[in-house]
Amino acid sequence: MDKALSDCPYPGCFFCVMKEGNPSKRRASILKFFRELPSLDDDGQVLPISGLWNTAMAHPNDPEFIELGIFECMASLIWKGLKNRRWLSHDQNIYIPYYAAHIIGSYTMNMEEFAERAVHAGVIPPLIELLRGRLTWVEQRVAIRALGHLATYSSTFSSVAGHGEILELSIQLAVSSLEIVYSHFYQYVDRRLSYHCDLLTRGMGGVEMESRKAEEWSSQLQCWSLQLINCFAFKPEFLSSICKPEFLVKLPGMWGGLVNENSPAGIGLLRTICHHKMGRGPVANCPVIIEALCNIACSSDDWQYMAIDCLLWLIQDSSTCHKVVEKAVPVLVDLVEISNLGDQKKVGESIITVLEECLQAQSGARSLLSSHTKDQIEELLSSRQRLKWEKTMPKEDLHIKQATSLVVKLEGNSLFSSGNISGATSKYSEALALCPMRSKKERVILYSNRAQCHLLLQQPLVAISDATRALCLHSPINRHAKSLWRRAQAYDMLGLEKESLLDAILFINECSQSSDPDLSLRQNKVPDYAERLVKKQMRAAWLFREAAIKHGGVHCEGDGHEVYDGQDDSEWETASESDIGNDGKESQVDEEEDDDERRV
């Protein structure tokens, strides 16, 4: 060994081993290090473990450490921390079980071969002990992450599922995780464990950053628990354990929050459950879940398509259709103008097909559809026929229809300006009946204007329906600023905090990108009315709110429900440009507004 390496005061130092120039010596030394580390009681052991943690995150697909026994080493270190509390409390060893479980999770994240080696190395039993809460919620978080990765692969799922308690523990953790983190860390700043604070902030932040990271980690703890449960939900034999009403009813409320918006969370698990016939029955038996699915299906949530899939599968299933169809049809009818939703193609066409099949299946004398629901589906199918019919019409006739629609709309604007909101609503409905189906920009504005009328008439459900139709017609989908704002207010009137919050945030985002001087954020200033609503809904939809109420951290009465005036400072909207060009196709010109539009 050269002089630089021999100067190190720690024999067998991991960092010196890593600097070894001879590959064969280096591998032999790493192998020896992994074998001996769990039996050592020297100070400073956390340093090489944290180095391995960094390496695992930076190079999770590198097989070198896998081949040399890192999984066996990490499993032994977790066991040591669980069985030898004196060693765990010495020096900085308290960090080691966390790092060890995190390393296992990182190396099994992408590679099935690595996951197989991890299972063979015996990592599952010590991870289960962490999952039980033998240490703290911080270790539970990385244990559920690692087990979730192992359960993802077909070759290792059976090894995870063979430990029957994992599913039950995951369900318990998904339900209780937010309360656990709130009561054990967030609530009392002076009682926070120092190593928790260090892990959360990497020693770079104060109390405020600790609190923010605790919210993020608690959301991950819940979402990773749901991800592990989701692996079990793909197997019908586990559905009876998952589909218990007391658990299912909580799933729509598990949404990841703004801190973990990339996780499908509860709606993702519901979609997997609804994909199985065995799962659809328990879901359909819970009206609260159906209500939540309807809300998510017409919201601007990134996982909107998952709720739509659930509703369509429930309607297609003859054993569940009658339990959901009356609630689902009005929502689905509003969504038929969706073409693509993320990676999902022809969403609207799928909805029309399912509803048409439903109508045909219920066409007999013993139909389970109400007359109102039948009328909604038949009106939808008639609009599709109208669209086909308009394609055969002469261009001049289409222009006449659109011009007539514009005149009626202006009459509606005039009635609105004079305070005759009911009259304006009727005029916008009349204009929609005249407006060509392919004049999407004009129809967006008509629906959006009518939504505002319904808001002023204190009819939030109808306002949501019209605003949703406007957002589905708009290109890009769910990005029409004024409809987002109007729907955010309607959701607020119904007490749907999460949906209102998402729409209000999207409204602000759209304003920041808008060329409309009445919508654009001057000097990056968020409109006061939007800021007030966002703050209100962030308090109401706070991840820890339920736990805080339970533990005395938030008073229910009056909290987060200050008076909100609902003022809409956006322009009353029209479109003066025809959407139908000379070639009969939709025009690509920008949407414009008439000068005579008033503020509302």
Side-chain angles (χ1 to χ4, degrees):
M1 184 176 291
D2 61 35
K3 186 177 186 304
L5 296 181
S6 63
D7 287 342
C8 179
Y10 301 103
C13 168
F14 175 75
F15 298 103
C16 293
V17 167
M18 293 300 294
K19 294 176 183 177
E20 172 62 58
N22 186 307
S24 60
K25 287 185 178 180
R26 179 176 178 274
R27 287 178 61 84
S29 298
I30 294 173
L31 179 64
K32 180 183 178 184
F33 175 82
F34 284 150
R35 285 177 177 173
E36 295 180 352
L37 181 62
S39 62
L40 300 177
D41 291 322
D42 301 336
D43 290 349
Q45 284 187 325
V46 73
L47 293 177
I49 302 299
S50 64
L52 289 168
W53 171 76
N54 278 311
T55 301
M57 288 198 300
H59 307 287
N61 300 336
D62 189 335
E64 182 181 25
F65 290 166
I66 311 301
E67 296 167 353
L68 297 175
I70 193 171
F71 287 136
E72 289 84 353
C73 179
M74 296 303 109
S76 297
L77 287 170
I78 295 173
W79 279 125
K80 187 173 184 178
L82 290 168
K83 295 177 179 180
N84 189 340
R85 293 304 176 105
R86 188 172 66 175
W87 172 83
L88 188 66
S89 61
H90 178 69
D91 194 35
Q92 292 183 306
N93 293 341
I94 189 67
Y95 293 85
I96 290 178
Y98 170 87
Y99 282 133
H102 202 296
I103 288 167
I104 293 169
S106 294
Y107 276 123
T108 56
M109 183 167 50
N110 302 323
M111 307 291 287
E112 185 168 6
E113 178 187 351
F114 293 0
E116 291 169 358
R117 283 177 171 265
V119 169
H120 183 71
V123 302
I124 293 179
L127 289 174
I128 292 175
E129 294 306 307
L130 295 182
L131 185 62
R132 290 180 188 278
R134 288 277 302 277
L135 295 181
T136 73
W137 65 272
V138 165
E139 290 80 17
Q140 282 180 303
R141 170 179 168 270
V142 287
I144 200 78
R145 170 179 177 260
L147 288 168
H149 293 157
L150 294 175
T152 301
Y153 306 109
S154 58
S155 62
T156 52
F157 172 78
S158 59
S159 298
V160 176
H163 297 267
E165 67 268 40
I166 289 181
L167 177 57
E168 185 59 36
L169 289 170
S170 301
I171 292 173
Q172 292 174 7
L173 197 54
V175 172
S176 62
S177 55
L178 302 184
E179 183 180 350
I180 289 171
V181 178
Y182 179 82
S183 60
H184 287 73
F185 183 85
Y186 192 98
Q187 186 175 16
Y188 300 109
V189 173
D190 57 338
R191 299 183 191 176
R192 294 177 178 178
L193 297 177
S194 60
Y195 92 95
H196 284 183
C197 298
D198 288 342
L199 288 172
L200 283 163
T201 66
R202 300 295 159 202
M204 301 297 290
V207 171
E208 185 177 349
M209 181 177 286
E210 291 168 8
S211 298
R212 285 201 306 269
K213 292 297 291 184
E215 188 172 350
E216 179 183 338
W217 279 27
S218 66
S219 175
Q220 290 173 346
L221 178 57
Q222 184 177 73
C223 291
W224 290 343
S225 299
L226 292 169
Q227 179 183 329
L228 179 51
I229 299 166
N230 196 61
C231 295
F232 283 87
F234 280 107
K235 312 291 184 181
E237 61 266 31
F238 296 104
L239 286 176
S240 60
S241 299
I242 297 170
C243 294
K244 295 177 180 177
E246 61 271 20
F247 176 59
L248 291 180
V249 75
K250 295 179 182 294
L251 288 179
M254 300 179 187
W255 63 292
L258 298 178
V259 295
N260 197 18
E261 60 186 8
N262 292 326
S263 172
I267 185 62
L269 179 54
L270 278 172
R271 183 177 184 269
T272 301
I273 292 171
C274 286
H275 193 262
H276 293 281
K277 185 174 182 63
M278 286 179 58
R280 289 194 285 271
V283 171
N285 287 334
C286 186
V288 174
I289 297 179
I290 303 306
E291 185 77 32
L293 288 173
C294 290
N295 291 334
I296 297 171
C298 64
S299 74
S300 301
D301 194 295
D302 287 342
W303 312 109
Q304 180 182 8
Y305 76 91
M306 291 189 170
I308 294 173
D309 282 347
C310 289
L311 293 176
L312 293 180
W313 291 333
L314 289 166
I315 289 176
Q316 287 178 300
D317 190 329
S318 59
S319 65
T320 58
C321 178
H322 63 285
K323 297 178 181 180
V324 305
V325 68
E326 295 297 321
K327 277 282 188 184
V329 166
V331 170
L332 293 171
V333 166
D334 291 339
L335 303 174
V336 295
E337 295 294 346
I338 298 175
S339 52
N340 300 328
L341 199 57
D343 294 332
Q344 307 298 305
K345 307 300 182 184
K346 300 182 178 180
V347 174
E349 292 183 19
S350 298
I351 293 173
I352 293 170
T353 300
V354 170
L355 294 184
E356 185 174 14
E357 290 173 351
C358 177
L359 184 63
Q360 292 171 351
Q362 300 291 333
S363 60
R366 301 182 62 184
S367 172
L368 299 174
L369 298 180
S370 68
S371 57
H372 178 65
T373 300
K374 282 183 180 178
D375 290 344
Q376 285 183 303
I377 299 176
E378 288 171 351
E379 182 181 347
L380 167 64
L381 299 178
S382 296
S383 70
R384 298 297 99 182
Q385 290 300 319
R386 175 182 162 188
L387 179 60
K388 294 178 181 178
W389 173 61
E390 287 179 356
K391 289 181 179 179
T392 66
M393 288 181 65
K395 297 174 188 177
E396 293 78 8
D397 291 351
L398 284 175
H399 285 299
I400 291 171
K401 283 174 63 70
Q402 183 153 348
T404 307
S405 172
L406 178 59
V407 170
V408 176
K409 178 179 66 178
L410 293 175
E411 293 174 0
N413 287 356
S414 179
L415 288 171
F416 183 89
S417 298
S418 66
N420 186 349
I421 307 303
S422 295
T425 305
S426 298
K427 285 296 180 181
Y428 294 134
S429 298
E430 185 181 344
L432 278 164
L434 290 166
C435 185
M437 298 293 291
R438 293 161 65 188
S439 298
K440 291 189 176 183
K441 289 182 180 178
E442 186 69 20
R443 295 182 71 82
V444 166
I445 294 168
L446 287 168
Y447 277 123
S448 189
N449 283 1
R450 195 171 70 175
Q452 181 62 15
C453 289
H454 289 306
L455 274 178
L456 296 175
L457 293 171
Q458 299 295 303
Q459 298 169 339
L461 286 173
V462 193
I464 289 170
S465 174
D466 277 346
T468 299
R469 292 189 180 206
L471 289 162
C472 291
L473 280 164
H474 189 260
S475 181
I477 185 175
N478 291 332
R479 291 298 183 269
H480 185 244
K482 294 175 184 179
S483 296
L484 285 166
W485 176 243
R486 287 156 187 165
R487 195 171 68 175
Q489 294 176 84
Y491 280 137
D492 179 53
M493 293 170 69
L494 294 173
L496 297 172
E497 297 93 354
K498 183 194 81 170
E499 289 80 3
S500 178
L501 174 61
L502 293 176
D503 276 356
I505 290 173
L506 281 175
F507 166 72
I508 292 171
N509 290 342
E510 290 306 305
C511 288
S512 68
Q513 302 170 29
S514 176
S515 58
D516 181 346
D518 295 302
L519 285 179
S520 60
L521 303 184
R522 299 177 182 85
Q523 298 179 346
N524 295 319
K525 186 178 185 300
V526 176
D528 291 340
Y529 57 88
E531 183 178 7
R532 288 198 302 274
L533 183 59
V534 167
K535 286 182 177 179
K536 171 187 174 181
Q537 306 301 26
M538 286 188 73
R539 283 193 292 272
W542 183 40
L543 279 178
F544 287 141
R545 180 171 172 76
E546 186 176 334
I549 291 172
K550 182 177 179 179
H551 291 272
V554 169
H555 298 292
C556 303
E557 195 171 335
D559 183 82
H561 293 281
E562 67 274 15
V563 176
Y564 173 67
D565 58 20
Q567 182 71 22
D568 185 346
D569 291 350
S570 59
E571 286 282 331
W572 194 245
E573 215 173 356
T574 72
S576 58
E577 293 290 333
S578 169
D579 289 325
I580 302 178
N582 293 331
D583 60 356
K585 297 182 180 179
E586 292 183 22
S587 170
Q588 298 299 312
V589 298
D590 292 334
E591 181 176 341
E592 295 183 2
E593 295 182 5
D594 292 338
D595 293 332
D596 62 348
E597 309 229 285
R598 69 181 291 272
R599 292 184 182 275
V600 291

